[in-house]
Amino acid sequence: GGSLNDYASRSWAGLISDYYAKRWEVYIDTFIKAVGEGVEVDQKQLEDELKEIEGLFYLLLAIHAISERINIFENKDLI
């Protein structure tokens, strides 16, 4: 079987690609756009966008957890 490091790597991969990378993308794009337009960053709008990403990430986690439970119940012979 795999080691704990394998498990942790998979967990971090999803956390980084599905959460942190998207947050950094929005953050950086927001500042690039503001500099290009010569305006200040709308902090409230940025915070709202980051909260939306966070909410979607937690929703995806919940969906994944539910699908894992369904798979376990459908494959009782594997338990």
Side-chain angles (χ1 to χ4, degrees):
S3 69
L4 183 57
N5 289 339
D6 290 341
Y7 177 78
S9 295
R10 287 193 298 273
S11 295
W12 276 107
L15 182 63
I16 291 171
S17 66
D18 294 337
Y19 182 71
Y20 288 112
K22 289 181 173 120
R23 287 175 54 90
W24 277 103
E25 181 180 358
V26 167
Y27 186 84
I28 291 168
D29 288 349
T30 298
F31 277 87
I32 289 173
K33 182 179 177 188
V35 168
E37 295 175 357
V39 297
E40 288 189 27
V41 170
D42 183 339
Q43 290 293 326
K44 173 74 170 119
Q45 181 180 354
L46 177 58
E47 289 173 13
D48 289 346
E49 288 182 46
L50 295 177
K51 284 180 186 177
E52 183 178 334
I53 291 169
E54 181 177 332
L56 291 173
F57 178 75
Y58 286 121
L59 178 61
L60 288 173
L61 284 179
I63 291 169
H64 178 71
I66 291 168
S67 69
E68 287 297 314
R69 289 186 181 132
I70 290 170
N71 288 338
I72 289 171
F73 289 123
E74 289 177 350
N75 298 302
K76 290 180 186 175
D77 57 321
L78 297 176
I79 299 173

